[in-house]
mmCIF file with all atom_site columns, all heavy atoms in Angstrom:
data_model
loop_
_atom_site.group_PDB
_atom_site.id
_atom_site.type_symbol
_atom_site.label_atom_id
_atom_site.label_alt_id
_atom_site.label_comp_id
_atom_site.label_asym_id
_atom_site.label_entity_id
_atom_site.label_seq_id
_atom_site.pdbx_PDB_ins_code
_atom_site.Cartn_x
_atom_site.Cartn_y
_atom_site.Cartn_z
_atom_site.occupancy
_atom_site.B_iso_or_equiv
_atom_site.pdbx_formal_charge
_atom_site.auth_seq_id
_atom_site.auth_comp_id
_atom_site.auth_asym_id
_atom_site.auth_atom_id
_atom_site.pdbx_PDB_model_num
ATOM 1  N N   . GLN A 1 544 ? 31.333 40.974 -8.742  1.00 83.00 ? 544 GLN A N   1
ATOM 2  C CA  . GLN A 1 544 ? 32.163 42.181 -8.734  1.00 83.00 ? 544 GLN A CA  1
ATOM 3  C C   . GLN A 1 544 ? 33.653 41.954 -8.549  1.00 83.00 ? 544 GLN A C   1
ATOM 4  O O   . GLN A 1 544 ? 34.453 42.765 -8.976  1.00 83.00 ? 544 GLN A O   1
ATOM 5  C CB  . GLN A 1 544 ? 31.664 43.131 -7.650  1.00 83.00 ? 544 GLN A CB  1
ATOM 6  C CG  . GLN A 1 544 ? 31.781 42.525 -6.285  1.00 83.00 ? 544 GLN A CG  1
ATOM 7  C CD  . GLN A 1 544 ? 31.408 43.530 -5.214  1.00 83.00 ? 544 GLN A CD  1
ATOM 8  O OE1 . GLN A 1 544 ? 31.455 44.718 -5.434  1.00 83.00 ? 544 GLN A OE1 1
ATOM 9  N NE2 . GLN A 1 544 ? 31.036 43.034 -4.063  1.00 83.00 ? 544 GLN A NE2 1
ATOM 10 N N   . GLN A 1 580 ? 20.118 46.612 -7.164  1.00 73.00 ? 580 GLN A N   1
ATOM 11 C CA  . GLN A 1 580 ? 20.455 45.671 -6.101  1.00 73.00 ? 580 GLN A CA  1
ATOM 12 C C   . GLN A 1 580 ? 20.938 46.377 -4.851  1.00 73.00 ? 580 GLN A C   1
ATOM 13 O O   . GLN A 1 580 ? 20.791 45.888 -3.749  1.00 73.00 ? 580 GLN A O   1
ATOM 14 C CB  . GLN A 1 580 ? 21.514 44.674 -6.593  1.00 73.00 ? 580 GLN A CB  1
ATOM 15 C CG  . GLN A 1 580 ? 20.948 43.740 -7.631  1.00 73.00 ? 580 GLN A CG  1
ATOM 16 C CD  . GLN A 1 580 ? 21.864 42.569 -7.915  1.00 73.00 ? 580 GLN A CD  1
ATOM 17 O OE1 . GLN A 1 580 ? 22.898 42.397 -7.276  1.00 73.00 ? 580 GLN A OE1 1
ATOM 18 N NE2 . GLN A 1 580 ? 21.480 41.760 -8.878  1.00 73.00 ? 580 GLN A NE2 1
ATOM 19 N N   . GLN A 1 581 ? 21.551 47.542 -5.059  1.00 70.00 ? 581 GLN A N   1
ATOM 20 C CA  . GLN A 1 581 ? 22.151 48.199 -3.902  1.00 70.00 ? 581 GLN A CA  1
ATOM 21 C C   . GLN A 1 581 ? 21.230 49.207 -3.247  1.00 70.00 ? 581 GLN A C   1
ATOM 22 O O   . GLN A 1 581 ? 21.365 49.483 -2.071  1.00 70.00 ? 581 GLN A O   1
ATOM 23 C CB  . GLN A 1 581 ? 23.434 48.908 -4.320  1.00 70.00 ? 581 GLN A CB  1
ATOM 24 C CG  . GLN A 1 581 ? 24.551 47.929 -4.558  1.00 70.00 ? 581 GLN A CG  1
ATOM 25 C CD  . GLN A 1 581 ? 25.813 48.645 -4.941  1.00 70.00 ? 581 GLN A CD  1
ATOM 26 O OE1 . GLN A 1 581 ? 25.749 49.800 -5.370  1.00 70.00 ? 581 GLN A OE1 1
ATOM 27 N NE2 . GLN A 1 581 ? 26.929 47.997 -4.764  1.00 70.00 ? 581 GLN A NE2 1
ATOM 28 N N   . ASN B 2 246 ? 25.786 -5.514 -17.015 1.00 91.00 ? 246 ASN B N   1
ATOM 29 C CA  . ASN B 2 246 ? 25.294 -6.382 -18.085 1.00 91.00 ? 246 ASN B CA  1
ATOM 30 C C   . ASN B 2 246 ? 25.701 -7.828 -17.829 1.00 91.00 ? 246 ASN B C   1
ATOM 31 O O   . ASN B 2 246 ? 24.910 -8.747 -17.997 1.00 91.00 ? 246 ASN B O   1
ATOM 32 C CB  . ASN B 2 246 ? 25.828 -5.890 -19.424 1.00 91.00 ? 246 ASN B CB  1
ATOM 33 C CG  . ASN B 2 246 ? 25.255 -6.668 -20.573 1.00 91.00 ? 246 ASN B CG  1
ATOM 34 O OD1 . ASN B 2 246 ? 24.048 -6.800 -20.689 1.00 91.00 ? 246 ASN B OD1 1
ATOM 35 N ND2 . ASN B 2 246 ? 26.124 -7.237 -21.394 1.00 91.00 ? 246 ASN B ND2 1
ATOM 36 N N   . THR B 2 527 ? 18.061 39.933 -11.627 1.00 76.00 ? 527 THR B N   1
ATOM 37 C CA  . THR B 2 527 ? 17.520 41.025 -10.832 1.00 76.00 ? 527 THR B CA  1
ATOM 38 C C   . THR B 2 527 ? 16.493 41.862 -11.569 1.00 76.00 ? 527 THR B C   1
ATOM 39 O O   . THR B 2 527 ? 15.437 42.171 -11.038 1.00 76.00 ? 527 THR B O   1
ATOM 40 C CB  . THR B 2 527 ? 18.669 41.947 -10.373 1.00 76.00 ? 527 THR B CB  1
ATOM 41 O OG1 . THR B 2 527 ? 19.693 41.124 -9.854  1.00 76.00 ? 527 THR B OG1 1
ATOM 42 C CG2 . THR B 2 527 ? 18.203 42.921 -9.323  1.00 76.00 ? 527 THR B CG2 1
ATOM 43 N N   . ALA B 2 597 ? 28.369 43.958 0.412   1.00 54.00 ? 597 ALA B N   1
ATOM 44 C CA  . ALA B 2 597 ? 28.695 43.085 -0.719  1.00 54.00 ? 597 ALA B CA  1
ATOM 45 C C   . ALA B 2 597 ? 28.660 43.856 -2.023  1.00 54.00 ? 597 ALA B C   1
ATOM 46 O O   . ALA B 2 597 ? 29.357 43.534 -2.975  1.00 54.00 ? 597 ALA B O   1
ATOM 47 C CB  . ALA B 2 597 ? 27.717 41.906 -0.780  1.00 54.00 ? 597 ALA B CB  1
ATOM 48 N N   . GLY B 2 598 ? 27.853 44.910 -2.054  1.00 47.00 ? 598 GLY B N   1
ATOM 49 C CA  . GLY B 2 598 ? 27.730 45.680 -3.290  1.00 47.00 ? 598 GLY B CA  1
ATOM 50 C C   . GLY B 2 598 ? 28.912 46.600 -3.515  1.00 47.00 ? 598 GLY B C   1
ATOM 51 O O   . GLY B 2 598 ? 29.005 47.204 -4.569  1.00 47.00 ? 598 GLY B O   1
#
Side-chain angles (χ1 to χ4, degrees):
Chain A
Q544 62 174 338
Q580 291 192 5
Q581 286 181 340
Chain B
N246 185 53
T527 312

